[in-house]
Amino acid sequence: MISKEENILFAAEKLFAEKGFEGTSTREIAKAAQVNISMISYYFGSKEKLYEKLVEYRMNEGQFFSKDILERTDINEWEKIEKIVEQFTGRVRNHKCFYRIMQREQLYTENPQIVEFLKQTKMGFITMYSRVLESGLKKGIFTKNPPIYLLHATVSGTLFYASNAKEMYKEFLHNTEEEETFDEKYYTELKNHIKYLLKDLLGYEENK
């Protein structure tokens, strides 16, 4: 059961992804969330604060999975990388609207709080990869030590580009499957492709 505040956030998220921040009015958000416009002022104060809260909500939501994976002792470093890729891919698939907003924000935002959220999230991912890579190298699980910032760029860049281009690839493949069926297959192939790239970049071999 989602709260009234979350209901407004999710309605705003869809509109921001479709029309951009400037192109979305508070009245439209209220209508989509089926609430009185005064409720937005009550919970958030303004459209700007609502936008900041949405980014904070999604960013904080994404912090938990990485910490859980890093602390696990029942899997090795390569398996941790696999888990990170699987969960990151799942988040991009399940929260397409939010990631579309974030990609736009990286190019155009002038909101200092949003800029800081984006920076901290990227730094968190880079730190996470760095810890796993360092540990894996010490144990001999990985034999290569690629630049950590390029490792992050490989994962996020491939994931975001492929996610944005999904409909084009579907058309290119002349695929007529139901959207959900193609979606499942597409993101599974994407996830496996990223793992394959990382396996080579990190010098991981299955029999180790």
Side-chain angles (χ1 to χ4, degrees):
M1 184 72 178
I2 67 171
S3 66
K4 289 181 180 178
E5 188 176 3
E6 287 174 324
N7 176 51
I8 295 169
L9 284 175
F10 300 156
E13 183 176 48
K14 290 179 182 176
L15 287 167
F16 289 149
E18 179 186 343
K19 306 176 74 171
F21 176 77
E22 296 296 338
T24 301
S25 69
T26 307
R27 190 171 299 280
E28 286 175 308
I29 295 169
K31 183 178 179 182
Q34 297 183 319
V35 298
N36 190 292
I37 198 166
S38 62
M39 293 291 284
I40 294 176
S41 296
Y42 174 76
Y43 282 113
F44 305 102
S46 66
K47 187 176 75 166
E48 287 76 12
K49 292 297 181 185
L50 188 161
Y51 194 54
E52 290 172 5
K53 184 66 177 179
L54 170 63
V55 175
E56 182 182 8
Y57 179 91
R58 288 299 190 202
M59 293 298 192
N60 288 338
E61 187 183 49
Q63 296 302 312
F64 297 110
F65 76 84
S66 58
K67 292 176 184 175
D68 291 342
I69 291 169
L70 289 178
E71 301 306 320
R72 288 184 61 172
T73 57
D74 59 320
I75 57 177
N76 68 24
E77 280 69 15
W78 169 250
E79 291 168 320
K80 289 180 180 182
I81 290 286
E82 286 189 303
K83 295 288 184 189
I84 291 167
V85 170
E86 286 167 6
Q87 294 201 26
F88 194 11
T89 305
R91 281 187 59 75
V92 171
R93 178 187 175 186
N94 295 323
H95 300 297
K96 294 184 183 75
C97 287
F98 178 69
Y99 283 102
R100 192 174 300 137
I101 293 168
M102 287 301 94
Q103 288 170 74
R104 186 186 295 130
E105 284 301 309
Q106 290 185 71
L107 296 173
Y108 303 117
T109 190
E110 295 180 359
N111 183 317
Q113 191 165 345
I114 302 292
V115 170
E116 185 61 24
F117 278 136
L118 288 169
K119 185 181 82 172
Q120 290 304 321
T121 300
K122 289 177 183 177
M123 293 290 281
F125 266 109
I126 292 171
T127 301
M128 176 174 61
Y129 288 129
S130 184
R131 283 179 57 185
V132 176
L133 178 56
E134 185 179 347
S135 178
L137 285 166
K138 283 182 180 177
K139 295 176 182 178
I141 292 170
F142 305 136
T143 60
K144 297 178 183 176
N145 187 12
I148 202 68
Y149 58 91
L150 292 179
L151 197 71
H152 174 257
T154 297
V155 176
S156 58
T158 303
L159 189 49
F160 292 140
Y161 183 90
S163 182
N164 289 336
K166 190 190 74 168
E167 293 306 318
M168 179 190 72
Y169 290 141
K170 190 173 191 288
E171 183 179 336
F172 173 77
L173 294 169
H174 304 291
N175 189 290
T176 57
E177 292 176 312
E178 291 291 326
E179 188 65 25
E180 188 61 31
T181 303
F182 180 74
D183 214 48
E184 180 68 33
K185 184 187 297 182
Y186 187 78
Y187 279 96
T188 297
E189 289 178 346
L190 175 55
K191 174 179 63 182
N192 291 337
H193 176 70
I194 293 172
K195 289 181 187 178
Y196 178 81
L197 291 175
L198 292 178
K199 191 177 287 187
D200 186 58
L201 287 170
L202 296 171
Y204 173 75
E205 295 179 13
E206 295 283 358
N207 58 356
K208 288 204 167 195

